[in-house]
Amino acid sequence: MFIKLVEVDTSGDRYRLRETMINTDAILSITEEAPTQRMVQESANMGMSPKASYSRLVMRDSYGGDKFKLVVGSPDTINLQMGKAKRLLKG
C-alpha cells in the first residue's frame, strides 16, 4: 500500500519539496518534528504556512538498516492517510 506525501529534501544548500510515494508497510514509526528556524524561513520562501507541521518517518531499508524521511504533515494526518488507503483496498 502506498500513500503520497510531500518530502522535505534537506540535502542541498536550500530545502526543496517533492512529492514521494511511501510504502506504508515499510514505515516503522512516525514522530513529530519541531521545525527549526531555517525550516520556517525556507517554508515561507516556498509559499507554505509557517505553521506547517512536519514528521520524521523511520522506514525499514531493504538492506537491513533504517531510513529516515522528513515529510510535511503531523503524525495524525499521516496516520489518517494510511487508514484511508487501507479502507480503499478493502472496498
Side-chain angles (χ1 to χ4, degrees):
M1 176 109 40
F2 286 86
I3 58 172
K4 187 187 301 186
L5 296 174
V6 176
E7 180 181 3
V8 181
D9 180 3
T10 59
S11 62
D13 293 343
R14 299 191 58 99
Y15 289 179
R16 292 180 310 203
L17 299 177
R18 63 178 173 217
E19 285 188 345
T20 185
M21 298 297 287
I22 302 289
N23 182 349
T24 59
D25 293 335
I27 297 175
L28 300 174
S29 69
I30 306 170
T31 307
E32 188 168 3
E33 181 83 8
T36 63
Q37 186 61 33
R38 181 174 175 206
M39 285 171 69
V40 172
Q41 289 172 342
E42 293 281 343
S43 297
N45 292 342
M46 292 183 276
M48 290 179 52
S49 168
K51 296 180 182 179
S53 351
Y54 301 91
S55 295
R56 182 158 309 273
L57 303 181
V58 178
M59 303 175 61
R60 185 177 327 111
D61 190 341
S62 57
Y63 299 106
D66 292 339
K67 186 174 186 177
F68 302 92
K69 288 193 179 279
L70 181 62
V71 296
V72 177
S74 70
D76 288 337
T77 303
I78 295 167
N79 205 22
L80 279 172
Q81 279 186 290
M82 290 170 60
K84 285 181 184 176
K86 288 180 181 177
R87 281 195 303 271
L88 285 176
L89 285 180
K90 291 181 181 177

